[in-house]
Amino acid sequence: MKEVLLGDLRIAYAEAGYGPPLVLLHGGMDDSRSWRRQMDALSDEFTVLAWDAPGCGRSSDVSQSWRMPNYADALAGWLVALGVERPHILGLSWGSSVALEFYRRHSHVPASLILAGAYAGWAGSLPPEEVASRLESVLAAADLPREQLLTGLPGVLSSAAPAELVDELSAIWADNAGRSHPEGYRAMAESDLRDVLPGIHLRTLLVYGELDQRAPLQVANDLHQRIPRAKLVVIPGVGHLANVEAPDEFNAQVRLFIRSVVSDDC
């Protein structure tokens, strides 16, 4: 792990490979470790950068006032500190909403967007009663035993996910559940990013799991209809975290998409 200081804010990150930059933004209780299958597979062709979002992993905790613009601006500052230009931005779940807010505030930076298990913020993609229920459940997660962190959120993984994968993710979530992730989820609950979608003029790849109950296919179809240059890929037989349940297919779709963007830009 490497680190960058943005004033008093420490951002930890993993880096591997050479080539066009691909930036990975993890989900809410994850950190950069959840991207290891992408770091391993895609670093042969891309410079892969996976941050620990502020409040997660080895990065600094954040104050209760943090909301999506704070995360988006921290992402911008981190990329400037690294000298990264025109990255492909891949956001998963919570990270997809960070990516959309980042596009709103820094639309000149990304070369493309890849949104996996994505929302236009919870407020922009889910009914108010569902948003309230989700916020309550994730805020209560800090008090759950490790073995209940994933099982309490149906559709994160499919029922066919192997026990070792459940254990791996549960360990990561347990490390982050008691930290400042509540600010990230409050930001998610308040975010309605639907107004950003029709103004996205970049090539955009949407990747969803067929069995995803967190960001179900009606959410996928809504984003697909609203983003002008979006392509939708549904990976069969997996849940919300398609990057870990079907890494080969997920990585292949990401690779082909970025290759096509780079080819168009040449």
Side-chain angles (χ1 to χ4, degrees), residues 1-4 11-27 31-53 59 75-92 95 102 109 114 243 254 258:
M1 294 293 290
K2 302 178 180 181
E3 293 183 353
V4 162
I11 296 182
Y13 65 98
E15 179 178 0
Y18 298 94
L22 169 61
V23 172
L24 308 179
L25 309 178
H26 59 75
D31 57 41
S32 58
R33 290 174 290 174
S34 64
W35 291 115
R36 69 173 180 85
R37 296 162 181 83
Q38 285 66 53
M39 300 287 293
D40 291 345
L42 297 173
S43 58
D44 64 337
E45 189 170 352
F46 310 106
T47 300
V48 187
L49 298 148
W51 79 341
D52 287 350
S59 294
L75 174 60
W78 173 60
L79 293 175
V80 168
L82 296 181
V84 173
E85 298 180 354
R86 300 291 290 164
H88 303 275
I89 303 288
L90 195 174
L92 171 70
F102 179 77
V109 176
I114 304 166
N243 67 308
V254 170
I258 297 178

Short mmCIF file of all heavy atoms in Angstrom, two decimals, residues 1-4 11-27 31-53 59 75-92 95 102 109 114 243 254 258:
data_model
loop_
_atom_site.label_atom_id
_atom_site.label_comp_id
_atom_site.label_asym_id
_atom_site.label_seq_id
_atom_site.Cartn_x
_atom_site.Cartn_y
_atom_site.Cartn_z
N MET A 1 0.83 -1.19 0.00
CA MET A 1 0.00 0.00 0.00
C MET A 1 0.88 1.25 0.00
O MET A 1 1.91 1.32 0.67
CB MET A 1 -0.92 0.02 1.22
CG MET A 1 -1.96 -1.09 1.22
SD MET A 1 -3.20 -0.93 -0.09
CE MET A 1 -4.11 0.52 0.46
N LYS A 2 0.43 2.24 -0.75
CA LYS A 2 1.08 3.55 -0.78
C LYS A 2 0.15 4.58 -0.14
O LYS A 2 -1.02 4.29 0.13
CB LYS A 2 1.40 3.94 -2.22
CG LYS A 2 2.29 2.94 -2.96
CD LYS A 2 2.53 3.37 -4.40
CE LYS A 2 3.40 2.38 -5.13
NZ LYS A 2 3.67 2.80 -6.54
N GLU A 3 0.67 5.77 0.11
CA GLU A 3 -0.13 6.82 0.76
C GLU A 3 0.15 8.17 0.12
O GLU A 3 1.27 8.43 -0.34
CB GLU A 3 0.18 6.90 2.25
CG GLU A 3 -0.24 5.68 3.05
CD GLU A 3 0.02 5.85 4.54
OE1 GLU A 3 0.66 6.87 4.91
OE2 GLU A 3 -0.40 4.98 5.32
N VAL A 4 -0.89 9.01 0.12
CA VAL A 4 -0.79 10.40 -0.29
C VAL A 4 -1.42 11.24 0.81
O VAL A 4 -2.46 10.86 1.37
CB VAL A 4 -1.51 10.64 -1.64
CG1 VAL A 4 -1.80 12.12 -1.86
CG2 VAL A 4 -0.70 10.10 -2.79
N ILE A 11 -4.73 9.38 2.22
CA ILE A 11 -5.39 8.44 1.32
C ILE A 11 -4.42 7.32 0.98
O ILE A 11 -3.34 7.55 0.41
CB ILE A 11 -5.90 9.11 0.04
CG1 ILE A 11 -6.98 10.15 0.38
CG2 ILE A 11 -6.45 8.07 -0.94
CD1 ILE A 11 -7.57 10.84 -0.82
N ALA A 12 -4.78 6.12 1.36
CA ALA A 12 -3.99 4.93 1.05
C ALA A 12 -4.51 4.31 -0.24
O ALA A 12 -5.71 4.40 -0.54
CB ALA A 12 -4.07 3.93 2.20
N TYR A 13 -3.61 3.67 -0.97
CA TYR A 13 -4.04 3.09 -2.24
C TYR A 13 -3.08 1.98 -2.66
O TYR A 13 -1.94 1.90 -2.21
CB TYR A 13 -4.12 4.16 -3.33
CG TYR A 13 -2.81 4.79 -3.72
CD1 TYR A 13 -2.10 4.37 -4.84
CD2 TYR A 13 -2.25 5.81 -2.95
CE1 TYR A 13 -0.90 4.94 -5.20
CE2 TYR A 13 -1.04 6.40 -3.30
CZ TYR A 13 -0.37 5.96 -4.43
OH TYR A 13 0.83 6.54 -4.78
N ALA A 14 -3.58 1.13 -3.54
CA ALA A 14 -2.78 0.09 -4.17
C ALA A 14 -2.58 0.44 -5.63
O ALA A 14 -3.46 1.04 -6.26
CB ALA A 14 -3.47 -1.27 -4.04
N GLU A 15 -1.44 0.07 -6.17
CA GLU A 15 -1.13 0.37 -7.57
C GLU A 15 -0.41 -0.81 -8.18
O GLU A 15 0.46 -1.43 -7.55
CB GLU A 15 -0.25 1.62 -7.67
CG GLU A 15 0.14 2.00 -9.08
CD GLU A 15 0.96 3.27 -9.16
OE1 GLU A 15 1.24 3.88 -8.11
OE2 GLU A 15 1.33 3.65 -10.29
N ALA A 16 -0.76 -1.12 -9.42
CA ALA A 16 -0.09 -2.22 -10.13
C ALA A 16 -0.19 -1.98 -11.63
O ALA A 16 -1.17 -1.42 -12.13
CB ALA A 16 -0.73 -3.56 -9.78
N GLY A 17 0.84 -2.42 -12.36
CA GLY A 17 0.78 -2.45 -13.80
C GLY A 17 1.24 -1.18 -14.50
O GLY A 17 1.62 -0.19 -13.87
N TYR A 18 1.14 -1.22 -15.83
CA TYR A 18 1.52 -0.11 -16.70
C TYR A 18 0.50 -0.03 -17.82
O TYR A 18 -0.04 -1.03 -18.25
CB TYR A 18 2.92 -0.32 -17.28
CG TYR A 18 4.00 -0.38 -16.22
CD1 TYR A 18 4.41 -1.62 -15.71
CD2 TYR A 18 4.59 0.77 -15.73
CE1 TYR A 18 5.39 -1.69 -14.73
CE2 TYR A 18 5.57 0.71 -14.74
CZ TYR A 18 5.97 -0.52 -14.26
OH TYR A 18 6.93 -0.59 -13.28
N GLY A 19 0.28 1.19 -18.30
CA GLY A 19 -0.66 1.39 -19.39
C GLY A 19 -1.67 2.46 -19.03
O GLY A 19 -1.50 3.20 -18.06
N PRO A 20 -2.75 2.57 -19.78
CA PRO A 20 -3.78 3.57 -19.48
C PRO A 20 -4.28 3.41 -18.05
O PRO A 20 -4.49 2.28 -17.58
CB PRO A 20 -4.89 3.26 -20.50
CG PRO A 20 -4.19 2.55 -21.61
CD PRO A 20 -3.09 1.77 -20.98
N PRO A 21 -4.47 4.52 -17.32
CA PRO A 21 -4.87 4.41 -15.92
C PRO A 21 -6.32 4.00 -15.75
O PRO A 21 -7.22 4.53 -16.39
CB PRO A 21 -4.63 5.82 -15.37
CG PRO A 21 -4.69 6.72 -16.56
CD PRO A 21 -4.20 5.91 -17.72
N LEU A 22 -6.52 3.03 -14.86
CA LEU A 22 -7.85 2.55 -14.48
C LEU A 22 -7.98 2.71 -12.97
O LEU A 22 -7.22 2.11 -12.21
CB LEU A 22 -8.01 1.08 -14.87
CG LEU A 22 -9.23 0.34 -14.33
CD1 LEU A 22 -10.53 0.98 -14.81
CD2 LEU A 22 -9.18 -1.14 -14.72
N VAL A 23 -8.93 3.53 -12.54
CA VAL A 23 -9.11 3.86 -11.13
C VAL A 23 -10.33 3.11 -10.60
O VAL A 23 -11.42 3.18 -11.18
CB VAL A 23 -9.29 5.38 -10.94
CG1 VAL A 23 -9.69 5.72 -9.51
CG2 VAL A 23 -8.00 6.10 -11.32
N LEU A 24 -10.14 2.39 -9.49
CA LEU A 24 -11.18 1.54 -8.92
C LEU A 24 -11.71 2.15 -7.62
O LEU A 24 -10.94 2.41 -6.69
CB LEU A 24 -10.60 0.14 -8.63
CG LEU A 24 -9.88 -0.55 -9.79
CD1 LEU A 24 -9.34 -1.91 -9.34
CD2 LEU A 24 -10.81 -0.72 -10.99
N LEU A 25 -13.02 2.35 -7.57
CA LEU A 25 -13.69 2.95 -6.41
C LEU A 25 -14.59 1.88 -5.79
O LEU A 25 -15.59 1.49 -6.38
CB LEU A 25 -14.52 4.16 -6.83
CG LEU A 25 -13.80 5.21 -7.69
CD1 LEU A 25 -14.77 6.32 -8.08
CD2 LEU A 25 -12.58 5.76 -6.98
N HIS A 26 -14.24 1.43 -4.60
CA HIS A 26 -14.92 0.30 -3.96
C HIS A 26 -16.28 0.68 -3.38
O HIS A 26 -16.66 1.86 -3.33
CB HIS A 26 -14.02 -0.28 -2.86
CG HIS A 26 -13.66 0.71 -1.79
ND1 HIS A 26 -14.55 1.12 -0.81
CD2 HIS A 26 -12.50 1.37 -1.54
CE1 HIS A 26 -13.95 1.98 -0.01
NE2 HIS A 26 -12.71 2.17 -0.43
N GLY A 27 -17.00 -0.36 -2.92
CA GLY A 27 -18.29 -0.16 -2.27
C GLY A 27 -18.15 0.33 -0.84
O GLY A 27 -17.05 0.48 -0.30
N ASP A 31 -12.83 -1.91 0.98
CA ASP A 31 -11.66 -1.07 0.75
C ASP A 31 -10.92 -1.65 -0.44
O ASP A 31 -11.46 -2.51 -1.15
CB ASP A 31 -10.79 -0.92 2.01
CG ASP A 31 -10.29 -2.25 2.58
OD1 ASP A 31 -9.90 -3.14 1.78
OD2 ASP A 31 -10.27 -2.41 3.81
N SER A 32 -9.72 -1.20 -0.69
CA SER A 32 -9.02 -1.59 -1.92
C SER A 32 -8.79 -3.09 -2.02
O SER A 32 -8.63 -3.62 -3.13
CB SER A 32 -7.68 -0.86 -2.00
OG SER A 32 -6.87 -1.13 -0.86
N ARG A 33 -8.79 -3.81 -0.90
CA ARG A 33 -8.56 -5.26 -0.93
C ARG A 33 -9.62 -5.99 -1.74
O ARG A 33 -9.36 -7.07 -2.29
CB ARG A 33 -8.52 -5.82 0.49
CG ARG A 33 -7.30 -5.41 1.28
CD ARG A 33 -7.42 -5.88 2.72
NE ARG A 33 -8.44 -5.14 3.45
CZ ARG A 33 -8.83 -5.45 4.70
NH1 ARG A 33 -8.30 -6.49 5.33
NH2 ARG A 33 -9.75 -4.71 5.30
N SER A 34 -10.83 -5.43 -1.82
CA SER A 34 -11.91 -6.11 -2.54
C SER A 34 -11.68 -6.13 -4.06
O SER A 34 -12.39 -6.82 -4.78
CB SER A 34 -13.25 -5.45 -2.23
OG SER A 34 -13.28 -4.11 -2.70
N TRP A 35 -10.68 -5.38 -4.52
CA TRP A 35 -10.38 -5.33 -5.94
C TRP A 35 -9.21 -6.23 -6.34
O TRP A 35 -8.70 -6.12 -7.46
CB TRP A 35 -10.02 -3.89 -6.35
CG TRP A 35 -11.13 -2.91 -6.32
CD1 TRP A 35 -11.24 -1.83 -5.50
CD2 TRP A 35 -12.28 -2.86 -7.19
NE1 TRP A 35 -12.38 -1.11 -5.79
CE2 TRP A 35 -13.03 -1.72 -6.82
CE3 TRP A 35 -12.72 -3.67 -8.23
CZ2 TRP A 35 -14.22 -1.38 -7.47
CZ3 TRP A 35 -13.91 -3.34 -8.87
CH2 TRP A 35 -14.64 -2.20 -8.49
N ARG A 36 -8.75 -7.13 -5.48
CA ARG A 36 -7.52 -7.85 -5.78
C ARG A 36 -7.63 -8.65 -7.08
O ARG A 36 -6.64 -8.82 -7.80
CB ARG A 36 -7.12 -8.74 -4.60
CG ARG A 36 -8.02 -9.93 -4.32
CD ARG A 36 -7.40 -10.83 -3.24
NE ARG A 36 -8.24 -11.98 -2.94
CZ ARG A 36 -8.21 -13.11 -3.63
NH1 ARG A 36 -7.40 -13.23 -4.68
NH2 ARG A 36 -9.00 -14.13 -3.30
N ARG A 37 -8.81 -9.15 -7.40
CA ARG A 37 -8.97 -9.93 -8.63
C ARG A 37 -8.83 -9.05 -9.87
O ARG A 37 -8.44 -9.52 -10.94
CB ARG A 37 -10.32 -10.65 -8.63
CG ARG A 37 -10.43 -11.69 -7.50
CD ARG A 37 -11.86 -12.07 -7.22
NE ARG A 37 -11.96 -13.04 -6.13
CZ ARG A 37 -11.94 -12.71 -4.84
NH1 ARG A 37 -11.85 -11.43 -4.49
NH2 ARG A 37 -12.02 -13.64 -3.91
N GLN A 38 -9.20 -7.80 -9.75
CA GLN A 38 -9.01 -6.86 -10.85
C GLN A 38 -7.55 -6.38 -10.90
O GLN A 38 -6.98 -6.25 -11.99
CB GLN A 38 -9.96 -5.67 -10.69
CG GLN A 38 -11.41 -5.99 -11.04
CD GLN A 38 -12.07 -6.98 -10.10
OE1 GLN A 38 -12.07 -6.78 -8.89
NE2 GLN A 38 -12.64 -8.06 -10.65
N MET A 39 -6.96 -6.13 -9.74
CA MET A 39 -5.56 -5.72 -9.71
C MET A 39 -4.68 -6.79 -10.35
O MET A 39 -3.78 -6.48 -11.15
CB MET A 39 -5.10 -5.49 -8.27
CG MET A 39 -5.85 -4.41 -7.50
SD MET A 39 -5.45 -2.73 -8.01
CE MET A 39 -3.75 -2.59 -7.51
N ASP A 40 -4.93 -8.04 -10.02
CA ASP A 40 -4.12 -9.13 -10.55
C ASP A 40 -4.31 -9.32 -12.05
O ASP A 40 -3.34 -9.51 -12.80
CB ASP A 40 -4.47 -10.45 -9.84
CG ASP A 40 -4.03 -10.47 -8.38
OD1 ASP A 40 -3.22 -9.61 -7.98
OD2 ASP A 40 -4.52 -11.35 -7.64
N ALA A 41 -5.56 -9.25 -12.50
CA ALA A 41 -5.86 -9.62 -13.89
C ALA A 41 -5.63 -8.48 -14.88
O ALA A 41 -5.22 -8.74 -16.02
CB ALA A 41 -7.29 -10.12 -13.99
N LEU A 42 -5.90 -7.25 -14.49
CA LEU A 42 -5.92 -6.14 -15.44
C LEU A 42 -4.62 -5.34 -15.46
O LEU A 42 -4.45 -4.49 -16.33
CB LEU A 42 -7.10 -5.22 -15.14
CG LEU A 42 -8.49 -5.86 -15.30
CD1 LEU A 42 -9.58 -4.92 -14.81
CD2 LEU A 42 -8.73 -6.26 -16.75
N SER A 43 -3.73 -5.64 -14.52
CA SER A 43 -2.48 -4.88 -14.46
C SER A 43 -1.51 -5.25 -15.57
O SER A 43 -0.47 -4.62 -15.72
CB SER A 43 -1.81 -5.06 -13.10
OG SER A 43 -1.55 -6.42 -12.83
N ASP A 44 -1.85 -6.26 -16.36
CA ASP A 44 -1.00 -6.59 -17.51
C ASP A 44 -1.17 -5.59 -18.64
O ASP A 44 -0.33 -5.51 -19.54
CB ASP A 44 -1.31 -8.00 -18.02
CG ASP A 44 -2.73 -8.15 -18.56
OD1 ASP A 44 -3.60 -7.35 -18.16
OD2 ASP A 44 -2.96 -9.08 -19.36
N GLU A 45 -2.26 -4.80 -18.60
CA GLU A 45 -2.57 -3.90 -19.71
C GLU A 45 -2.83 -2.47 -19.25
O GLU A 45 -2.74 -1.53 -20.06
CB GLU A 45 -3.80 -4.43 -20.45
CG GLU A 45 -4.11 -3.73 -21.74
CD GLU A 45 -5.18 -4.45 -22.56
OE1 GLU A 45 -5.56 -5.59 -22.19
OE2 GLU A 45 -5.64 -3.87 -23.56
N PHE A 46 -3.11 -2.29 -17.97
CA PHE A 46 -3.46 -0.97 -17.44
C PHE A 46 -2.69 -0.67 -16.17
O PHE A 46 -2.27 -1.59 -15.45
CB PHE A 46 -4.97 -0.91 -17.14
CG PHE A 46 -5.84 -1.37 -18.27
CD1 PHE A 46 -6.49 -2.60 -18.22
CD2 PHE A 46 -5.98 -0.60 -19.41
CE1 PHE A 46 -7.28 -3.04 -19.27
CE2 PHE A 46 -6.77 -1.03 -20.48
CZ PHE A 46 -7.42 -2.26 -20.41
N THR A 47 -2.51 0.62 -15.88
CA THR A 47 -2.06 1.03 -14.56
C THR A 47 -3.29 1.07 -13.67
O THR A 47 -4.15 1.94 -13.82
CB THR A 47 -1.41 2.42 -14.60
OG1 THR A 47 -0.28 2.38 -15.47
CG2 THR A 47 -0.95 2.84 -13.21
N VAL A 48 -3.41 0.11 -12.78
CA VAL A 48 -4.62 -0.05 -11.96
C VAL A 48 -4.37 0.58 -10.59
O VAL A 48 -3.40 0.23 -9.90
CB VAL A 48 -5.00 -1.54 -11.81
CG1 VAL A 48 -6.34 -1.66 -11.11
CG2 VAL A 48 -5.05 -2.21 -13.18
N LEU A 49 -5.24 1.49 -10.22
CA LEU A 49 -5.13 2.23 -8.96
C LEU A 49 -6.42 2.04 -8.18
O LEU A 49 -7.51 2.37 -8.66
CB LEU A 49 -4.91 3.71 -9.24
CG LEU A 49 -3.63 4.06 -10.00
CD1 LEU A 49 -3.84 5.28 -10.87
CD2 LEU A 49 -2.50 4.30 -9.02
N ALA A 50 -6.31 1.50 -6.98
CA ALA A 50 -7.48 1.27 -6.13
C ALA A 50 -7.28 1.99 -4.81
O ALA A 50 -6.37 1.66 -4.04
CB ALA A 50 -7.65 -0.23 -5.88
N TRP A 51 -8.13 3.00 -4.55
CA TRP A 51 -7.96 3.74 -3.30
C TRP A 51 -8.72 3.08 -2.16
O TRP A 51 -9.65 2.28 -2.38
CB TRP A 51 -8.37 5.19 -3.47
CG TRP A 51 -9.86 5.52 -3.46
CD1 TRP A 51 -10.92 4.68 -3.66
CD2 TRP A 51 -10.42 6.82 -3.24
NE1 TRP A 51 -12.10 5.38 -3.59
CE2 TRP A 51 -11.83 6.68 -3.32
CE3 TRP A 51 -9.89 8.07 -2.98
CZ2 TRP A 51 -12.69 7.78 -3.15
CZ3 TRP A 51 -10.75 9.15 -2.81
CH2 TRP A 51 -12.14 9.00 -2.90
N ASP A 52 -8.28 3.37 -0.95
CA ASP A 52 -9.12 3.22 0.24
C ASP A 52 -9.82 4.56 0.40
O ASP A 52 -9.17 5.59 0.69
CB ASP A 52 -8.28 2.95 1.49
CG ASP A 52 -7.70 1.55 1.54
OD1 ASP A 52 -8.08 0.71 0.71
OD2 ASP A 52 -6.84 1.30 2.41
N ALA A 53 -11.12 4.59 0.15
CA ALA A 53 -11.85 5.86 0.27
C ALA A 53 -11.66 6.43 1.67
O ALA A 53 -11.49 5.68 2.65
CB ALA A 53 -13.33 5.64 -0.01
N SER A 59 -7.00 4.63 5.02
CA SER A 59 -7.15 6.08 4.87
C SER A 59 -7.71 6.71 6.13
O SER A 59 -8.23 6.03 7.01
CB SER A 59 -8.06 6.40 3.67
OG SER A 59 -7.45 5.99 2.46
N LEU A 75 -11.21 12.55 -4.24
CA LEU A 75 -10.76 11.74 -5.37
C LEU A 75 -10.00 12.61 -6.37
O LEU A 75 -8.93 12.21 -6.86
CB LEU A 75 -11.97 11.08 -6.03
CG LEU A 75 -11.73 10.29 -7.31
CD1 LEU A 75 -10.75 9.15 -7.09
CD2 LEU A 75 -13.07 9.76 -7.87
N ALA A 76 -10.52 13.78 -6.66
CA ALA A 76 -9.85 14.68 -7.60
C ALA A 76 -8.48 15.08 -7.07
O ALA A 76 -7.48 15.09 -7.83
CB ALA A 76 -10.72 15.92 -7.84
N GLY A 77 -8.40 15.41 -5.79
CA GLY A 77 -7.12 15.80 -5.21
C GLY A 77 -6.11 14.68 -5.22
O GLY A 77 -4.91 14.89 -5.46
N TRP A 78 -6.58 13.47 -4.96
CA TRP A 78 -5.70 12.29 -4.99
C TRP A 78 -5.14 12.07 -6.38
O TRP A 78 -3.93 11.83 -6.56
CB TRP A 78 -6.49 11.08 -4.50
CG TRP A 78 -5.81 9.76 -4.62
CD1 TRP A 78 -4.64 9.37 -4.03
CD2 TRP A 78 -6.27 8.62 -5.37
NE1 TRP A 78 -4.33 8.07 -4.36
CE2 TRP A 78 -5.32 7.58 -5.17
CE3 TRP A 78 -7.38 8.37 -6.16
CZ2 TRP A 78 -5.45 6.33 -5.75
CZ3 TRP A 78 -7.53 7.12 -6.74
CH2 TRP A 78 -6.57 6.12 -6.53
N LEU A 79 -5.97 12.17 -7.40
CA LEU A 79 -5.50 11.97 -8.77
C LEU A 79 -4.49 13.05 -9.17
O LEU A 79 -3.50 12.76 -9.84
CB LEU A 79 -6.69 11.97 -9.73
CG LEU A 79 -7.65 10.79 -9.59
CD1 LEU A 79 -8.85 10.96 -10.51
CD2 LEU A 79 -6.95 9.47 -9.90
N VAL A 80 -4.74 14.29 -8.76
CA VAL A 80 -3.78 15.36 -9.05
C VAL A 80 -2.45 15.06 -8.37
O VAL A 80 -1.37 15.22 -8.96
CB VAL A 80 -4.34 16.72 -8.60
CG1 VAL A 80 -3.26 17.79 -8.63
CG2 VAL A 80 -5.50 17.14 -9.49
N ALA A 81 -2.51 14.63 -7.10
CA ALA A 81 -1.28 14.33 -6.36
C ALA A 81 -0.47 13.23 -7.02
O ALA A 81 0.76 13.24 -6.98
CB ALA A 81 -1.63 13.94 -4.91
N LEU A 82 -1.16 12.28 -7.66
CA LEU A 82 -0.48 11.18 -8.34
C LEU A 82 -0.07 11.54 -9.77
O LEU A 82 0.63 10.76 -10.42
CB LEU A 82 -1.38 9.94 -8.37
CG LEU A 82 -1.73 9.30 -7.03
CD1 LEU A 82 -2.59 8.07 -7.24
CD2 LEU A 82 -0.48 8.94 -6.24
N GLY A 83 -0.55 12.67 -10.27
CA GLY A 83 -0.27 13.03 -11.64
C GLY A 83 -1.01 12.19 -12.66
O GLY A 83 -0.56 12.04 -13.79
N VAL A 84 -2.16 11.66 -12.27
CA VAL A 84 -2.95 10.82 -13.16
C VAL A 84 -3.86 11.68 -14.02
O VAL A 84 -4.63 12.49 -13.50
CB VAL A 84 -3.80 9.81 -12.36
CG1 VAL A 84 -4.74 9.04 -13.28
CG2 VAL A 84 -2.89 8.85 -11.59
N GLU A 85 -3.78 11.50 -15.33
CA GLU A 85 -4.60 12.26 -16.26
C GLU A 85 -5.45 11.32 -17.10
O GLU A 85 -5.00 10.25 -17.49
CB GLU A 85 -3.71 13.11 -17.17
CG GLU A 85 -2.89 14.15 -16.42
CD GLU A 85 -2.02 14.97 -17.36
OE1 GLU A 85 -1.98 14.65 -18.57
OE2 GLU A 85 -1.38 15.92 -16.87
N ARG A 86 -6.68 11.73 -17.34
CA ARG A 86 -7.62 11.00 -18.19
C ARG A 86 -7.76 9.54 -17.80
O ARG A 86 -7.63 8.63 -18.64
CB ARG A 86 -7.21 11.13 -19.66
CG ARG A 86 -7.18 12.55 -20.18
CD ARG A 86 -8.55 13.15 -20.28
NE ARG A 86 -9.31 12.52 -21.37
CZ ARG A 86 -10.63 12.63 -21.53
NH1 ARG A 86 -11.34 13.28 -20.63
NH2 ARG A 86 -11.23 12.06 -22.54
N PRO A 87 -8.05 9.25 -16.54
CA PRO A 87 -8.23 7.86 -16.14
C PRO A 87 -9.60 7.33 -16.54
O PRO A 87 -10.56 8.09 -16.71
CB PRO A 87 -8.13 7.94 -14.61
CG PRO A 87 -8.71 9.28 -14.29
CD PRO A 87 -8.24 10.18 -15.41
N HIS A 88 -9.68 6.03 -16.68
CA HIS A 88 -10.96 5.34 -16.76
C HIS A 88 -11.40 5.10 -15.32
O HIS A 88 -10.66 4.53 -14.52
CB HIS A 88 -10.80 4.03 -17.53
CG HIS A 88 -10.24 4.23 -18.91
ND1 HIS A 88 -11.02 4.56 -20.00
CD2 HIS A 88 -8.95 4.19 -19.37
CE1 HIS A 88 -10.26 4.70 -21.06
NE2 HIS A 88 -9.00 4.49 -20.71
N ILE A 89 -12.60 5.53 -14.99
CA ILE A 89 -13.09 5.47 -13.61
C ILE A 89 -14.10 4.34 -13.49
O ILE A 89 -15.14 4.34 -14.17
CB ILE A 89 -13.77 6.80 -13.20
CG1 ILE A 89 -12.80 7.97 -13.36
CG2 ILE A 89 -14.29 6.70 -11.78
CD1 ILE A 89 -11.69 8.02 -12.34
N LEU A 90 -13.80 3.38 -12.61
CA LEU A 90 -14.70 2.25 -12.36
C LEU A 90 -15.21 2.35 -10.92
O LEU A 90 -14.44 2.20 -9.97
CB LEU A 90 -13.95 0.92 -12.58
CG LEU A 90 -14.76 -0.37 -12.70
CD1 LEU A 90 -13.85 -1.54 -13.05
CD2 LEU A 90 -15.59 -0.72 -11.48
N GLY A 91 -16.49 2.60 -10.76
CA GLY A 91 -17.10 2.69 -9.44
C GLY A 91 -18.08 1.56 -9.22
O GLY A 91 -18.92 1.27 -10.08
N LEU A 92 -17.97 0.92 -8.06
CA LEU A 92 -18.84 -0.20 -7.70
C LEU A 92 -19.77 0.21 -6.57
O LEU A 92 -19.32 0.71 -5.53
CB LEU A 92 -17.98 -1.39 -7.25
CG LEU A 92 -18.71 -2.59 -6.64
CD1 LEU A 92 -19.51 -3.32 -7.71
CD2 LEU A 92 -17.73 -3.54 -5.97
N GLY A 95 -19.31 3.26 -4.62
CA GLY A 95 -18.29 3.90 -5.44
C GLY A 95 -18.82 4.41 -6.77
O GLY A 95 -18.27 5.35 -7.35
N PHE A 102 -18.26 12.76 -8.92
CA PHE A 102 -16.98 13.20 -9.48
C PHE A 102 -17.17 13.74 -10.89
O PHE A 102 -16.61 14.78 -11.25
CB PHE A 102 -16.01 12.01 -9.47
CG PHE A 102 -14.66 12.32 -10.05
CD1 PHE A 102 -13.72 13.02 -9.32
CD2 PHE A 102 -14.32 11.89 -11.32
CE1 PHE A 102 -12.46 13.30 -9.85
CE2 PHE A 102 -13.07 12.16 -11.86
CZ PHE A 102 -12.14 12.87 -11.12
N VAL A 109 -12.03 15.30 -16.35
CA VAL A 109 -10.95 14.40 -15.94
C VAL A 109 -11.08 13.00 -16.54
O VAL A 109 -10.13 12.49 -17.12
CB VAL A 109 -10.86 14.33 -14.40
CG1 VAL A 109 -9.80 13.32 -13.97
CG2 VAL A 109 -10.55 15.71 -13.82
N ILE A 114 -17.12 3.42 -15.88
CA ILE A 114 -17.62 2.05 -15.74
C ILE A 114 -18.33 1.99 -14.40
O ILE A 114 -17.73 2.23 -13.35
CB ILE A 114 -16.47 1.02 -15.78
CG1 ILE A 114 -15.65 1.20 -17.07
CG2 ILE A 114 -17.02 -0.40 -15.68
CD1 ILE A 114 -14.32 0.47 -17.04
N ASN A 243 -17.87 -8.29 -9.42
CA ASN A 243 -16.41 -8.27 -9.59
C ASN A 243 -15.72 -9.38 -8.82
O ASN A 243 -14.64 -9.82 -9.20
CB ASN A 243 -15.84 -6.92 -9.17
CG ASN A 243 -15.99 -6.65 -7.68
OD1 ASN A 243 -17.09 -6.76 -7.12
ND2 ASN A 243 -14.91 -6.30 -7.02
N VAL A 254 -14.63 -5.28 -18.73
CA VAL A 254 -13.90 -4.04 -18.49
C VAL A 254 -12.77 -3.88 -19.50
O VAL A 254 -12.58 -2.80 -20.09
CB VAL A 254 -13.35 -4.02 -17.05
CG1 VAL A 254 -12.37 -2.85 -16.85
CG2 VAL A 254 -14.49 -3.93 -16.05
N ILE A 258 -12.54 -0.77 -22.25
CA ILE A 258 -11.47 0.24 -22.25
C ILE A 258 -10.70 0.18 -23.57
O ILE A 258 -10.33 1.21 -24.14
CB ILE A 258 -10.55 0.06 -21.05
CG1 ILE A 258 -11.32 0.28 -19.75
CG2 ILE A 258 -9.38 1.05 -21.13
CD1 ILE A 258 -10.51 0.08 -18.49
#
